[in-house]
Amino acid sequence: MTASPLVPVPIPDRVAAMIGACMPIHVLQAEVDAECAAREVHRLRGPLSGESRAAREHALSALASANKVLAAYNPGLTVRPRRSGSAPYGV
């Protein structure tokens, strides 16, 4: 038996707004921060200079802080840095 991969389905803006209205503002901010940090971590990969390495460490720190808030609210909301060819963030 093979498992089919999950297919991301777009959420209409009105539905996303209704979901967001039910969540505390600090959780919504943490979700945005985690997404931005995950993109930055993905962008800064491979052989890095000293400044780029420091920027990557800062992005990883920001991602960890945002994930801590998200996990306290709902562990399923945590975000991981994306790998090439993998599913979208948070999936």
Side-chain angles (χ1 to χ4, degrees):
M1 182 163 102
T2 61
S4 62
L6 294 176
V7 177
V9 177
I11 298 174
D13 291 339
R14 295 178 88 188
V15 174
M18 288 172 43
I19 293 169
C22 297
M23 296 172 66
I25 194 72
H26 72 281
V27 175
L28 292 173
Q29 185 61 50
E31 190 174 15
V32 170
D33 293 345
E35 291 287 338
C36 291
R39 283 188 192 103
E40 187 70 11
V41 168
H42 179 68
R43 188 180 69 79
L44 295 168
R45 58 189 186 129
L48 301 172
S49 66
E51 286 181 19
S52 295
R53 201 170 313 126
R56 180 178 167 82
E57 291 300 321
H58 184 268
L60 285 170
S61 174
L63 179 60
S65 297
N67 273 339
K68 187 174 181 179
V69 173
L70 293 173
Y73 184 74
N74 179 349
L77 293 177
T78 57
V79 177
R80 293 184 208 150
R82 185 176 168 189
R83 292 185 183 141
S84 296
S86 66
Y89 301 112
V91 174

